Amino acid sequence: MSKLFNSIQIGSLNLNSRLVMPPMATGKAPDGNVTEDILKYYDDKSQGGYIGLIVIEHSYIMPEGKAHKNQLSVSEGVDIDKLKALADIIHKNGSKAVMQINHAGIQTSEEVTGFPSVGPSAASNSKGVVAKELSVDEIKGIVKAFGEAASRVKAAGFDGVEIHAAHGYLLHQFFTPLTNKRTDSYGGDVKNRIRIHLEVIEAVRKAVGENFPILLRLGASDYTDGGVTIEDSLVAGVEFEKAGINILDVSGGVRGFVVPGANEEGYFWPLTKALKEALSIPVVLTGGIVTPEAAEKLLEEEKADLIGVGRAIYKDSEWTKKAFEILK
């Protein structure tokens, strides 16, 4: 059997393959709750149970952190029974599922949230809106909201929770010097810039208990002068592992899930390889992987422990079955 379709045990989490479906926003939740369209979408993608782990699209922890219209919610008041129906459908098909929880920070607008945009420092978002710098008390409130959101994920019957700290959203905004200009204990050197991450991990762990898997999606490089580097992420990764993260899911930073000029499958592999060598927890590699052969090779070359395939599965729900037939 291929490496891709080999099972793996990660703490209390048993995955029947090393194939991960990464979070991809569907925009199918007009009121934030799971809809029939969302249930059908994930039912379709999880058929056959070939995917070891499905990461549900980023979901906002509080209305102020909503990234876009029709985004899924894990904030106060969400219908837990509808979330449970989503977890149940994926389990019925034989895969495990975690929810990704997020706060957009600067990367949203009052038009979407009904609130002024906020961030680690006063900075402009992509629409030119200047965000308000968060006070320490406001940071503590956001940390608390992450913990409360994680408790809802567990109550809904998911197999774990993923903290979104990539793609230029709030936690990444604290991590990168491009948007974090603070001079207090949340700014400056790397360990200060990840202080909020460590507080979030602590709050989430307290909310879900010791045996519930916590993943963190890290924007491990900004590929931009003055931004996050792999050296920063190596420091951060070690601290996150010490804090109790079970899986590190690697992606990009302010440029999102792309690498300038990259044309190879698995283009984040230099980041995942370096982090895998520095850490003892499993590392997920996603990024432009479209062929089963490439996924298999990346595992064989020990560039990651788990492989995320996004757009290929999004375009073709039969991709997973075809990949299994090719590699078996």
Side-chain angles (χ1 to χ4, degrees), residues 6-320:
N6 252 353
S7 62
I8 181 171
Q9 184 78 36
I10 305 167
S12 62
L13 189 63
N14 182 262
L15 304 181
N16 58 17
S17 78
R18 293 171 185 246
L19 178 61
V20 176
M21 178 176 148
M24 293 177 284
T26 60
K28 296 178 183 292
D31 65 354
N33 285 307
V34 170
T35 60
E36 284 300 316
D37 282 346
I38 288 175
L39 293 177
K40 289 175 184 174
Y41 171 82
Y42 283 100
D43 187 20
D44 183 46
K45 298 305 177 190
S46 60
Q47 286 292 320
Y50 297 106
I51 303 171
L53 181 65
I54 293 175
V55 185
I56 304 301
E57 59 202 82
H58 74 152
S59 305
Y60 59 91
I61 60 166
M62 57 199 304
E64 295 90 332
K66 184 177 179 179
H68 52 80
K69 293 177 180 178
N70 301 328
Q71 184 186 4
L72 202 58
S73 170
V74 281
S75 65
E76 187 176 1
V78 71
D79 191 325
I80 299 292
D81 287 339
K82 290 181 179 179
L83 287 176
K84 188 175 187 304
L86 177 55
D88 288 347
I89 270 187
I90 293 169
H91 290 154
K92 171 181 67 73
N93 289 337
S95 297
K96 298 291 172 62
V98 305
M99 287 199 74
Q100 186 187 73
I101 59 177
N102 189 31
H103 189 300
I106 295 167
Q107 296 302 339
T108 189
S109 67
E110 193 165 351
E111 180 188 355
V112 171
T113 66
F115 300 91
S117 297
V118 296
S121 308
S124 297
N125 65 18
S126 57
K127 296 181 179 178
V129 177
V130 178
K132 171 187 170 294
E133 181 175 308
L134 287 161
S135 69
V136 171
D137 283 346
E138 287 170 327
I139 291 171
K140 301 297 184 187
I142 288 170
V143 169
K144 183 171 179 280
F146 268 103
E148 291 169 346
S151 70
R152 295 180 197 109
V153 171
K154 184 177 181 181
F158 285 89
D159 303 291
V161 63
E162 178 169 271
I163 299 163
H164 197 356
H167 302 172
Y169 290 119
L170 182 67
L171 293 185
H172 187 79
Q173 290 158 24
F174 272 88
F175 187 33
T176 176
L178 295 172
T179 48
N180 187 345
K181 308 296 183 183
R182 299 179 74 98
T183 57
D184 63 3
S185 61
Y186 290 94
D189 66 19
V190 178
K191 291 191 177 179
N192 275 357
R193 299 199 312 271
I194 62 169
R195 185 177 302 276
I196 187 173
H197 300 66
L198 298 175
E199 291 177 354
V200 167
I201 294 167
E202 182 181 12
V204 168
R205 179 56 74 202
K206 185 176 179 181
V208 300
E210 287 304 312
N211 296 319
F212 194 72
I214 302 175
L215 296 75
L216 186 141
R217 192 166 219 198
L218 179 65
S221 177
D222 284 331
Y223 300 101
T224 302
D225 289 344
V228 168
T229 64
I230 183 56
E231 289 75 22
D232 293 331
S233 290
L234 288 167
V235 172
V238 169
E239 294 303 315
F240 297 157
E241 180 174 0
K242 285 181 191 173
I245 287 296
N246 302 103
I247 300 172
L248 188 68
D249 184 1
V250 176
S251 193
V254 296
R255 291 178 178 269
F257 46 82
V258 297
V259 175
N263 54 19
E264 64 179 321
E265 294 188 52
Y267 44 69
F268 286 124
W269 75 259
L271 304 177
T272 56
K273 188 172 189 295
L275 285 159
K276 177 174 165 55
E277 290 172 356
L279 306 175
S280 60
I281 57 174
V283 175
V284 185
L285 168 60
T286 304
I289 301 166
V290 296
T291 64
E293 294 85 355
E296 186 74 9
K297 185 179 180 187
L298 290 161
L299 286 172
E300 287 174 351
E301 293 175 348
E302 298 190 348
K303 290 175 176 172
D305 303 284
L306 299 153
I307 298 293
V309 176
R311 280 163 286 183
I313 292 174
Y314 181 82
K315 291 175 181 176
D316 179 9
S317 297
E318 293 286 306
W319 188 95
T320 53

